[in-house]
Amino acid sequence: MNTKYLTKASLIAAIYIVLVLIQMLPVPFINLTFGPIQLRVAEGLALLPLVESAAVPGIFIGCLLANLLLAPYSGFGLVDILGGSLVTLVAAYITSKMKNKITGMIPPVVLNGLIVSIWVSYFTKVPYFVTVLGIGGGELLSVAIFGSIILSVYDKATNLKEY
């Protein structure tokens, strides 16, 4: 790993954390960051591994630190801190192997929807299937909308010519 790679991964992690923290500011939307219905704006970064290898560790570390910092608000404890972060890592790695944006959306949506819903459903007493729809649907919206914007911005930023 070189300095440029580590810098990119660190910046992506920081952006993830900042996006989660910003989303936590308006109190009514706290339940969209953690819970049976999730719409994390930061999960739009889940498409970055398609075009940037440093996004795989960056998103993982960002998710890990965000979950750790906000553990008192989630109520899911260590299982969410470690489990949710590992699901994000696996999803990011699989996404990095996908061919395009459409197939790249599948790993974060399916893995978060099916796996994270296990403990969220257990702790919130919301039926598993409802939780899968809430988390998977929110992940799909986040990845499709915010992820597309992030990929567009990344493409423009990396295509700038230096003078």
Side-chain angles (χ1 to χ4, degrees), residues 88-130:
T88 298
L89 175 62
V90 171
Y93 175 76
I94 296 171
T95 297
S96 73
K97 304 300 179 191
M98 295 295 163
K99 301 288 184 205
N100 58 53
K101 184 169 70 170
I102 301 300
T103 59
M105 290 182 195
I106 296 169
V109 172
V110 170
L111 291 176
N112 279 291
L114 295 177
I115 299 172
V116 173
S117 294
I118 295 169
W119 60 83
V120 173
S121 173
Y122 174 79
F123 286 116
T124 61
K125 307 294 188 235
V126 174
Y128 175 74
F129 183 71
V130 173

Side-chain angles (χ1 to χ4, degrees), residues 67-88:
N67 286 348
L68 183 62
L69 289 169
L70 298 171
Y73 298 100
S74 78
F76 305 134
L78 195 57
V79 69
D80 195 44
I81 295 167
L82 296 178
S85 302
L86 288 173
V87 169
T88 298

